[in-house]
Amino acid sequence: MSEVAAIDRPDENRQEIESAVVRFAGDSGDGMQLTGSQFTMTAAISGNDLATFPDFPAEIRAPAGTTFGVSAFQINFGARKIMTSGDQLDVLVVMNPAALITNLEDVKPGGIVIADSGAFTDRNLAKAGYEENPLDNDSLEGYRLVKIDMSRLTVEAVKEFGLSNKEALRSKNMWALGLIYWMYGRKREASVDWLKSKFAKNPEIADANIAALNAGHAFGETAEMPAELGTFEVETADISPGVYRTITGAESVSLGLLAGSQLAGLNISFCSYPITPASALLHHLARMKDFGVITFQAEDEIAAAAAALGASYAGSLGITSSSGPGIALKMEAIGLAIGTELPMVIVNSQRAGPSTGLPTKTEQSDLYQAVFGRNADAPMPVISVSTPSDGYDVAIEAIRIATKYMTPVMVLTDGYITNASEPWLIPDPSTYDRFDVTFRTDPENFQPFMRDDTTLARPWVKPGTPEMMHRIGGIERSYDTGHISYDPANHQKMTDVRAAKVNGIANDIPEQEVAVGAAGGKLAVVGWGSTYGPINRAVANLRDEGLDVSQIHLRYIWPLPRNLGELLHSYDQVLVAEMNTGQLRTLLRSEYLVPAEGLNKVNGKPFLIAELEDAIRARLEN
Amino acid sequence: MNVQSPPEKLTARDYATDQEVRWCPGCGDYAILKAVQNTLAELQADPKNTVFVSGIGCAARFPYYMETYGFHTIHGRSPAVATGVKLSNPDLDVWVVGGDGDMLSIGGNHTMHAIRRNVDVQLLLFNNQIYGLTKGQYSPTSKIGTKSPSTPLGSIDNPVSAAQFALGVGGTFIARSTDIMQKHLSGVLKRAHGHRGTSFVEIFQNCIVYNDGVFKRFTEKSVQAEMQIHVEHGQPLLFGKDKDKGLILNKDEMRLEAVTLGENGITEADIAVHDETNRSLATMLAQMDPPTMPVALGVLYCEAAPTYEASVHAQIDHARKDGEGDLAKLLHRGQTWTVE
């Protein structure tokens, strides 16, 4: 790495900090996601723990320079366990005025704002809605503002490669990355290697980007750098040994579905229809053809669910995936899966609603839909994903339950988890317990709806099996034979057994544990899904201060863990924090008659640790 | 030495279940059920590999009466369910059964996409131009002016032509028959079964309760010969009791015309010959409607094309040509790092 060796030298005067939150924000065309993911990789290699969150615009090609075209990538990295992508920004890097106006409010008081002054032209200022240049007046007084004409400096740095001005400016994200690498004393090797391999076919583009990266770094290194910026050192975190990668929620769920299907000994038929933010699952699984994974982009959400069910009927594992509005369309088919008692997995990547709502913003408001949102009494297991890497185990568990109990299972994840990433200690697939499916092939005394005594599951028979031809369907089925039955007593019996089967799963899942703290006490903060990180950090922080608060975080939403009622009653207060208007709270109140209160928000953004801490304090100080 | 007893030959009765058939007495569905069971017996179709999938409606009860595998699903979605079945197990012989409401109204979208993808199923549309199970409302194939509980003053929307729809969305096999023509229907079903891809068969079916006689303008014995033309690939398009009528292609106006042999100097040499690989001709045949023209029955169109599920599995086989994927390797794909 001769390109970088010359100017990597130790800096004695770095300020040691435990963690830092940095956000890169710019126009969609400024390459902010790439910049962020490079910084992430380097932080990981440096031994930090971290969490990231990309925030990209809903529009495909928003006009350049507009506020709705701003793309951002945030990373929280530290020398301790990192639970969220961070409440407030220590450093905001903005590549244009629109990025400044849309991101400034998240910077902590006194935080560093680094702006590409070269992009603060009259035209860009007008597009962002600024009447005068905020870099030139006192509007940013509360921050440590660093104005650098990164555009000009980048063009100069890459002059020797003979690129057009427009092409040259494409490297300015690497210039900014180089500067931030210098700020945190990071090595550039990994990014240099990555640029070389990414642009292997265009070495002059690779060279220009590397030159920009080095120039940004050198700019910080030399006296040109404003003193107020400062340099920092973030030590390595105490992390379990092993091989790691970063993983997003979409990746972990996709890989978990594949792993689960292998443990069950089944092929996957993944049937889906594109929708934000769920499409990433379809994209990931479509690339797993070498595992025999069938993906089917159906004509609509209903067809996707129906085809998945048809695939399960034929003996493979039918999976469908969508987000809230699409899930609503699938519900009749899910009801058929419940009635005909066929396994199926439905992944719901929740987003803010109702209707189209805010497709790119996160929310947890499909709990009612998942647990209750079907016609008639139609019980279905529901489990949830808590962190970007948790999707792997949750998807495996969904397949285990679906195939063991012959039932559809809904997995609830959300837009935040789907796109966010964290480091993941890569598991060894061979250490997982198998749960191979046994198809019924014995025609002796066979009836399609005879049940296993323990699980109450009916047998799964593949069409093509000799001497076992039978018919199933949506009309109520006779208790054993599955023939059409309009008998009222039979309907009662079938309704009861469907409920008993799903309720019985509570005996086959772990008892609810306390994530942080102890059973019993003054206050339990209960959460589910992607609120795990901020609740965990907030509760841990306040316990360090001596407050009597514990965290209970649910994976299993339906049926609920068998000890949960008793556990909740062991606290004086129960606070349910969720990104909806109180859906889990309603469920807990109705199931256990606990006086649970809610801490709720639906502004499209995850909980901040600070707002959770404030809410917990308020309840314990009364 | 063991002497293998010859495999028992299956009869039509072997394809019938013990379930009581519950259509109205006199319903055209009985005749179609019989024709399907006869056809399967003629084909000696293996019941264990045969699956009937249906949606909702009178016709959709069909699977319960077939001693094969069967899945009675939800309204309109049977083509999508069947697509999943075929993707999962392409070896199954899948028949999809539904009515005009099921397949062209609530499920029109799925019918379209199953046909355009060319999923290898037999799609039997029982067209009676009325909603039966919901008690007599007009359907998407009802003629304008159809009086029904929901249209007491007569329906006002244009009906869809099932065969033209199927041709328009790129169907590779489009045929027609009627419930009461056992032999003809069975012949069409056999062709449909033999075709690889979506075989779309429109069966004109009489609803004796809500729409009795709606097709009598071409199904009644007295008019059958003059108002039906049975098309056969490579054969001249002749009809009439004495086969003295036929269709000629009016090239100036780009349409078919019904003519009588011997009139205006018309000879058999002038009569158009049916070419079931010609989509334009099939479309013109599908458009014909009594009384000005006879209704065209038989295989209007048939072309060989790859099936959807075969292409899906070909991609998978190609991806696996160098061996099955390795999950542990996949988990490690991309940038990784080691913490000591």
Side-chain angles (χ1 to χ4, degrees):
Chain A
M1 291 306 106
S2 57
E3 296 95 329
V4 291
I7 43 176
D8 267 335
R9 56 172 191 261
D11 186 328
E12 302 291 318
N13 304 319
R14 290 187 176 274
Q15 180 190 344
E16 248 186 59
I17 52 173
E18 197 175 35
S19 66
V21 182
V22 177
R23 184 185 293 173
F24 299 93
D27 197 67
S28 307
D30 284 337
M32 294 295 95
Q33 303 302 321
L34 279 182
T35 311
S37 56
Q38 280 307 299
F39 193 83
T40 300
M41 182 49 58
T42 296
I45 292 169
S46 307
N48 298 134
D49 195 22
L50 59 90
T52 74
F53 186 65
D55 186 9
F56 28 77
E59 284 75 13
I60 306 298
R61 288 272 164 86
T66 57
T67 54
F68 47 93
V70 172
S71 174
F73 189 101
Q74 180 171 329
I75 172 170
N76 184 2
F77 60 107
R80 62 170 187 175
K81 185 81 189 143
I82 297 296
M83 301 307 303
T84 74
S85 56
D87 278 16
Q88 286 188 306
L89 307 176
D90 296 301
V91 177
L92 171 66
V93 182
V94 294
M95 309 308 282
N96 69 7
L100 179 65
I101 206 165
T102 50
N103 289 281
L104 186 64
E105 65 170 359
D106 296 331
V107 181
K108 73 177 185 190
I112 297 171
V113 176
I114 303 173
D116 173 14
S117 57
F120 280 64
T121 59
D122 290 346
R123 190 174 149 78
N124 281 344
L125 287 164
K127 276 190 198 165
Y130 280 115
E131 283 175 11
E132 53 180 312
N133 192 339
L135 305 184
D136 296 337
N137 59 26
D138 56 5
S139 62
L140 298 174
E141 228 173 34
Y143 307 96
R144 287 190 282 165
L145 174 66
V146 182
K147 298 182 273 186
I148 307 171
D149 191 345
M150 297 186 216
S151 297
R152 182 180 61 78
L153 292 167
T154 303
V155 170
E156 277 175 19
V158 305
K159 208 184 299 172
E160 60 179 295
F161 302 104
L163 303 174
S164 71
N165 194 57
K166 197 176 160 193
E167 282 171 328
L169 280 173
R170 287 217 183 103
S171 301
K172 78 174 184 176
N173 60 331
M174 288 297 119
W175 197 98
L177 181 64
L179 180 69
I180 304 302
Y181 276 169
W182 168 77
M183 265 181 77
Y184 291 100
R186 293 295 142 107
K187 292 193 181 344
R188 284 157 283 153
E189 277 86 344
S191 290
V192 169
D193 290 349
W194 178 82
L195 285 165
K196 282 181 174 169
S197 103
K198 163 113 179 146
F199 297 111
K201 286 182 183 152
N202 297 299
E204 69 281 7
I205 302 285
D207 289 344
N209 275 288
I210 293 166
L213 180 78
N214 288 337
H217 194 273
F219 184 88
E221 181 77 16
T222 64
E224 288 179 65
M225 190 59 230
E228 63 267 42
L229 198 56
T231 56
F232 305 93
E233 178 74 43
V234 181
E235 285 292 327
T236 57
D238 185 17
I239 297 173
S240 308
V243 180
Y244 283 79
R245 58 173 284 180
T246 60
I247 192 160
T248 66
E251 288 170 336
S252 73
V253 172
S254 305
L255 291 167
L257 290 171
L258 176 62
S261 74
Q262 292 191 345
L263 294 171
L266 295 174
N267 280 324
I268 286 179
S269 296
F270 185 89
C271 308
S272 184
Y273 182 77
I275 184 170
T276 302
S279 305
L281 267 78
L282 174 60
H283 303 165
H284 288 309
L285 283 148
R287 288 194 294 265
M288 297 183 187
K289 288 188 170 52
D290 52 334
F291 292 89
V293 171
I294 293 170
T295 54
F296 173 53
Q297 181 178 317
E299 58 270 27
D300 61 28
E301 298 282 1
I302 299 171
L309 187 58
S312 287
Y313 172 74
S316 63
L317 179 67
I319 306 174
T320 191
S321 160
S322 188
S323 185
I327 298 292
L329 287 166
K330 296 180 193 296
M331 279 302 187
E332 190 189 9
I334 294 171
L336 181 65
I338 292 168
T340 53
E341 302 187 45
L342 283 166
M344 180 175 172
V345 173
I346 306 105
V347 182
N348 181 355
S349 301
Q350 300 165 94
R351 66 191 212 186
S355 183
T356 303
L358 300 172
T360 61
K361 300 299 175 192
T362 197
E363 212 163 274
Q364 299 181 295
S365 43
D366 287 353
L367 185 146
Y368 285 162
Q369 177 172 238
V371 178
F372 302 120
R374 288 164 294 284
N375 62 301
D377 289 308
M380 174 171 72
V382 179
I383 59 178
S384 61
V385 180
S386 296
T387 70
S389 65
D390 187 41
Y392 187 76
D393 287 342
V394 169
I396 291 172
E397 178 69 342
I399 294 172
R400 183 188 74 88
I401 294 173
T403 52
K404 182 170 178 181
Y405 292 89
M406 293 292 282
T407 177
V409 174
M410 187 175 288
V411 172
L412 288 177
T413 177
D414 65 38
Y416 176 79
I417 288 179
T418 297
N419 292 320
S421 76
E422 63 181 354
W424 186 43
L425 178 60
I426 302 172
D428 177 355
S430 68
T431 60
Y432 281 70
D433 291 335
R434 293 191 63 87
F435 41 85
D436 288 275
V437 166
T438 310
F439 289 95
R440 168 113 188 198
T441 54
D442 178 10
E444 192 74 26
N445 298 321
F446 166 70
Q447 298 283 8
F449 279 82
M450 274 170 55
R451 288 166 197 284
D452 179 272
D453 292 339
T454 314
T455 62
L456 298 176
R458 77 175 189 91
W460 193 2
V461 180
K462 273 187 196 178
T465 308
E467 296 176 63
M468 295 180 75
M469 287 82 74
H470 65 278
R471 278 61 54 191
I472 60 172
I475 301 178
E476 186 65 282
R477 297 135 302 266
S478 176
Y479 189 80
D480 290 325
T481 64
H483 291 321
I484 290 177
S485 170
Y486 294 107
D487 174 32
N490 178 72
H491 176 56
Q492 179 76 54
K493 198 174 171 188
M494 287 297 274
T495 302
D496 293 345
V497 78
R498 285 190 288 264
K501 180 177 83 168
V502 171
N503 290 339
I505 295 169
N507 298 317
D508 192 21
I509 59 175
E511 291 202 346
Q512 182 61 47
E513 290 179 359
V514 179
V516 178
K522 285 189 179 161
L523 175 65
V525 182
V526 182
W528 64 281
S530 68
T531 54
Y532 175 78
I535 296 174
N536 188 275
R537 173 61 69 209
V539 169
N541 287 349
L542 295 181
R543 285 187 69 83
D544 286 348
E545 291 179 16
L547 296 187
D548 181 6
V549 56
S550 300
Q551 179 191 19
I552 293 172
H553 203 77
L554 305 184
R555 169 179 284 181
Y556 298 89
I557 306 296
W558 197 263
L560 291 159
R562 57 193 176 279
N563 65 326
L564 183 62
E566 195 187 334
L567 182 61
L568 294 179
H569 281 292
S570 70
Y571 297 93
D572 300 342
Q573 296 182 67
V574 172
L575 179 65
V576 184
E578 40 183 348
M579 295 185 289
N580 58 45
T581 56
Q583 300 190 8
L584 178 63
R585 179 184 39 161
T586 304
L587 194 67
L588 296 179
R589 284 182 173 201
S590 74
E591 286 298 301
Y592 303 121
L593 298 176
V594 286
E597 290 183 56
L599 177 64
N600 305 93
K601 72 179 240 180
V602 286
N603 68 351
K605 291 180 179 172
F607 275 107
L608 302 178
I609 294 166
E611 64 194 355
L612 286 159
E613 288 177 351
D614 289 348
I616 294 167
R617 276 205 186 88
R619 274 164 183 80
L620 289 178
E621 281 162 10
N622 283 339
Chain B
M1 199 178 106
N2 280 334
V3 179
Q4 295 275 318
S5 55
E8 210 177 311
K9 201 164 186 300
L10 296 169
T11 66
R13 193 171 296 174
D14 293 316
Y15 294 94
T17 60
D18 58 359
Q19 297 294 294
E20 184 192 348
V21 183
R22 291 220 196 166
W23 289 310
C24 306
C27 176
D29 288 355
Y30 283 96
I32 302 172
L33 178 63
K34 190 172 148 210
V36 170
Q37 289 168 343
N38 282 334
T39 304
L40 292 187
E42 282 182 51
L43 295 165
Q44 286 295 292
D46 187 348
K48 76 171 191 300
N49 284 331
T50 305
V51 182
F52 277 82
V53 181
S54 67
I56 295 293
C58 295
R61 295 296 181 91
F62 207 89
Y64 291 113
Y65 308 135
M66 295 298 301
E67 189 53 48
T68 62
Y69 284 92
F71 197 2
H72 179 217
T73 69
I74 45 179
H75 206 8
R77 319 304 169 199
S78 56
V81 174
T83 300
V85 172
K86 283 298 282 192
L87 282 172
S88 177
N89 185 353
D91 295 335
L92 295 172
D93 185 10
V94 177
W95 299 72
V96 184
V97 176
D100 37 310
D102 197 39
M103 286 199 179
L104 291 175
S105 191
I106 188 167
N109 192 30
H110 310 302
T111 306
M112 167 167 83
H113 291 282
I115 293 173
R116 80 164 170 89
R117 290 189 182 105
N118 205 32
V119 181
D120 185 18
V121 298
Q122 291 75 248
L123 218 153
L124 310 186
L125 173 72
F126 297 9
N127 185 2
N128 57 17
Q129 297 190 354
I130 207 77
Y131 281 80
L133 199 62
T134 53
K135 302 192 171 34
Q137 299 85 355
Y138 83 114
S139 91
T141 54
S142 298
K143 290 264 186 302
I144 288 179
T146 299
K147 287 190 177 171
S148 79
S150 59
T151 52
L153 302 181
S155 64
I156 52 178
D157 38 339
N158 261 323
V160 61
S161 155
Q164 285 186 66
F165 163 79
L167 282 160
V169 300
T172 59
F173 182 97
I174 286 98
R176 273 176 175 167
S177 191
T178 77
D179 51 4
I180 54 172
M181 294 161 52
Q182 281 290 309
K183 210 173 148 204
H184 185 266
L185 177 56
S186 186
V188 164
L189 292 174
K190 265 183 274 180
R191 283 287 314 273
H193 184 265
H195 177 70
R196 299 273 76 89
T198 305
S199 305
F200 181 84
V201 182
E202 179 185 20
I203 305 168
F204 297 109
Q205 174 247 326
N206 191 49
C207 174
I208 195 166
V209 174
Y210 294 111
N211 217 12
D212 193 23
V214 69
F215 300 120
K216 68 181 180 194
R217 66 189 190 282
F218 61 87
T219 56
E220 212 152 67
K221 266 219 156 61
S222 59
V223 299
Q224 262 181 22
E226 306 302 314
M227 286 296 122
Q228 292 180 6
I229 179 166
H230 295 191
V231 303
E232 270 183 66
H233 185 59
Q235 297 299 314
L237 291 162
L238 292 167
F239 65 104
K241 194 155 60 97
D242 304 317
K243 290 281 180 253
D244 61 340
K245 291 178 179 153
L247 302 177
I248 60 163
L249 181 63
N250 181 330
K251 289 175 183 160
D252 293 336
E253 297 180 21
M254 294 286 284
R255 62 183 179 86
L256 293 171
E257 247 173 55
V259 294
T260 305
L261 296 179
E263 282 181 9
N264 302 321
I266 296 282
T267 69
E268 192 163 334
D270 298 311
I271 301 301
V273 172
H274 183 47
D275 174 4
E276 66 185 21
T277 66
N278 182 334
R279 195 176 291 270
S280 304
L281 177 62
T283 304
M284 286 190 275
L285 289 168
Q287 285 166 344
M288 300 193 308
D289 199 29
T292 51
M293 299 285 272
V295 69
L297 301 176
V299 179
L300 305 188
Y301 186 74
C302 180
E303 69 163 304
T307 69
Y308 180 67
E309 67 277 11
S311 301
V312 166
H313 284 272
Q315 284 192 343
I316 288 174
D317 293 344
H318 179 75
R320 291 205 277 196
K321 69 180 192 310
D322 299 324
E324 183 81 11
D326 179 335
L327 178 60
K329 274 190 193 155
L330 180 61
L331 296 182
H332 285 79
R333 193 176 288 172
Q335 280 184 295
T336 62
W337 67 95
T338 303
V339 174
E340 305 290 345

